[in-house]
Amino acid sequence: MNSIKIRSIRCVPLLGESPKGGWSNEILPEDSVHALIAVHTDAGITGYGSSFTDGRLVEAGIKVLEPLWRGENALEPERVTEKLNQNTFWMGRGGTLTHTISGIDIALWDILGKALGQPVGRLLGGTYRNRVMPYCSLLMEEPDVMKDVISKYRDQGFRAFKIGWGPFGRRDSAKLDEAIVRAARDGIGDDAKLLVDAGASDAYWPQGLKWALRTAEMLKDYDVGWFEEALVPDAIDDFCHLRRASPVPIAGGEVLTRRQAFLPFLTHGAFDIVQPDATKMGGISEQRRVAWMAQDFGVKYVGHGWNTALGVAADLQIAAALPNADLVEFIGGSAYVDGILETPFKLDDEGYLAVPDAPGLGVSLDREKVTRYAASADGLFKA
């Protein structure tokens, strides 16, 4: 099997139950912030991917890219993806086209795995593990609510948690910020991992370096595993200062796209933990390049995964193929994670997710379930 040609690519925006993001301009359930992509081939093999952006933009991106992908060999994801990247520099790198390419790349890896009868993790070079701990990603709530919300997910079997956005840092109240973190720690107990995300990529984030330094000192008292997006995304000098001074590890990078954007943050020592998102930064091909680059700089990699079940599947496969990747992000209560697969993800007794070992991404979309969130879902299942 030397070649499988791409016949068509279809996009389906997910609508109706889009999860809140904690943004100042909050996401509504009917908003499109995630899209599923299907790559159909002349061999009858279809690969699936996910893009973290408005589905209308992905639909437009697929059309713009069509002269470059139509008839290409779907068994060569990295080459095809790089072709799409290199031939669209003049249209702008890092925006709609990069987000679109991300979903296409994930789908191409899914095709390669299905064609060869192997899980993507093995095709990425070999598997270091067969299960990964997910951290349940939740929005911050007022202190009297936070404990009850996070406790419910502890009862479901999660053993690692990230709380973010919401009122944290937005009320200019150190007492409120600490009360939220204290409530979360009380809700999960001393033995669970707790991670904190300020969400400073929000529009008009009001805080700066001094707030981040004071907050990092507070977080150490609650055994917080990392402090994420504590500063606006482009403040590289402040990130470097914060990383040197902070008693807790500093994480970031979810809004960066393409490997080139990560280089200055790694070379200048801005992060302890780097968090590229495969569904918007360039797909699995780019994700693993950044992950291995981070390894060479002594920076931990944990993929950002505020997306869909296909994004979770991609993150699990990548984590399986890296020596030190021990966590994946898992949105708590998202219909687009829990409600679109034939066999939903399930925690084991120790709070881990098994890395799917079926060919490709190792998961299958449920047509009927997807239709609940996408009126045009038929395009995913037939060319």
Side-chain angles (χ1 to χ4, degrees):
M1 187 181 295
N2 295 318
S3 178
I4 292 177
K5 291 185 178 181
I6 300 174
R7 291 181 56 194
S8 64
I9 300 179
R10 299 283 185 265
C11 165
V12 170
L14 295 175
L15 306 164
E17 291 197 33
S18 295
K20 290 183 178 181
W23 304 349
S24 296
N25 188 15
E26 185 56 271
I27 300 167
L28 301 176
E30 60 269 24
D31 289 338
S32 170
V33 292
H34 298 296
L36 303 183
I37 285 178
V39 175
H40 300 290
T41 68
D42 63 356
I45 300 174
T46 298
Y48 294 100
S50 179
S51 291
F52 180 8
T53 191
D54 192 313
R56 294 170 298 180
L57 296 176
V58 179
E59 290 171 332
I62 289 170
K63 291 180 181 178
V64 170
L65 294 166
E66 184 170 357
L68 298 170
W69 57 253
R70 183 168 289 281
E72 263 292 359
N73 187 356
L75 297 178
E76 300 179 351
E78 284 193 313
R79 184 189 64 77
V80 173
T81 297
E82 194 64 8
K83 175 185 177 182
L84 299 181
N85 287 325
Q86 294 292 345
N87 284 280
T88 54
F89 275 164
W90 63 279
M91 298 183 193
R93 183 171 71 194
T96 290
L97 292 183
T98 297
H99 298 157
T100 303
I101 292 168
S102 301
I104 293 172
D105 179 82
I106 293 169
L108 291 176
W109 279 102
D110 191 31
I111 289 170
L112 180 60
K114 289 173 177 175
L116 299 179
Q118 297 291 333
V120 167
R122 182 165 294 129
L123 299 179
L124 293 174
T127 52
Y128 289 85
R129 61 192 56 80
N130 59 17
R131 65 175 189 164
V132 184
M133 178 170 285
Y135 64 85
C136 183
S137 192
L138 300 168
L139 292 181
M140 290 196 192
E141 307 284 355
E142 298 294 333
D144 58 342
V145 177
M146 186 77 256
K147 181 178 179 179
D148 291 339
V149 169
I150 203 168
S151 297
K152 292 177 183 177
Y153 289 95
R154 170 77 191 217
D155 293 342
Q156 291 177 21
F158 287 98
R159 295 295 178 262
F161 303 84
K162 185 175 80 177
I163 56 171
W165 299 66
F168 190 80
R170 291 161 176 82
R171 304 270 184 85
D172 204 22
S173 171
K175 290 183 178 179
L176 174 63
D177 293 345
E178 183 169 4
I180 293 170
V181 176
R182 183 189 305 116
R185 174 54 77 189
D186 288 345
I188 61 175
D190 294 335
D191 60 332
K193 296 179 185 294
L194 179 62
L195 317 166
V196 169
D197 180 0
S201 60
D202 193 13
Y204 308 114
W205 172 250
Q207 305 296 347
L209 176 59
K210 288 184 173 58
W211 174 88
L213 288 166
R214 291 194 303 270
T215 304
E217 288 292 333
M218 177 270 289
L219 295 178
K220 80 175 189 302
D221 296 334
Y222 297 92
D223 194 22
V224 168
W226 74 59
F227 190 13
E228 179 178 337
E229 281 211 307
L231 299 160
V232 293
D234 298 313
I236 187 169
D237 290 341
D238 284 355
F239 265 113
C240 292
H241 184 110
L242 178 63
R243 184 195 182 192
R244 288 192 295 269
S246 172
V248 298
I250 299 302
E254 69 180 67
V255 302
L256 302 178
T257 54
R258 297 298 312 279
R259 61 189 181 275
Q260 294 88 348
F262 288 85
L263 272 171
F265 286 85
L266 294 174
T267 56
H268 287 79
F271 300 138
D272 294 292
I273 298 144
V274 68
Q275 300 170 301
D277 189 320
T279 66
K280 64 181 176 182
M281 61 82 63
I284 291 173
S285 296
E286 287 288 273
Q287 185 94 322
R288 73 158 171 172
R289 282 172 146 171
V290 172
W292 279 111
M293 188 162 55
Q295 170 100 355
D296 292 336
F297 280 92
V299 175
K300 185 179 179 64
Y301 156 87
V302 179
H304 178 265
W306 198 86
N307 43 58
T308 70
L310 295 181
V312 174
D315 286 338
L316 285 169
Q317 295 293 341
I318 297 169
L322 295 168
N324 297 312
D326 58 354
L327 291 168
V328 294
E329 186 166 11
F330 193 99
I331 308 176
S334 171
Y336 305 157
V337 173
D338 298 327
I340 63 173
L341 297 182
E342 288 183 357
T343 304
F345 295 110
K346 184 179 180 180
L347 297 171
D348 67 16
D349 292 340
E350 295 180 284
Y352 285 80
L353 290 177
V355 178
D357 59 4
L361 294 177
V363 296
S364 298
L365 292 173
D366 185 299
R367 185 169 187 161
E368 184 177 341
K369 292 178 181 178
V370 173
T371 302
R372 298 176 192 171
Y373 314 114
S376 56
D378 283 351
L380 291 176
F381 302 98
K382 60 182 180 181

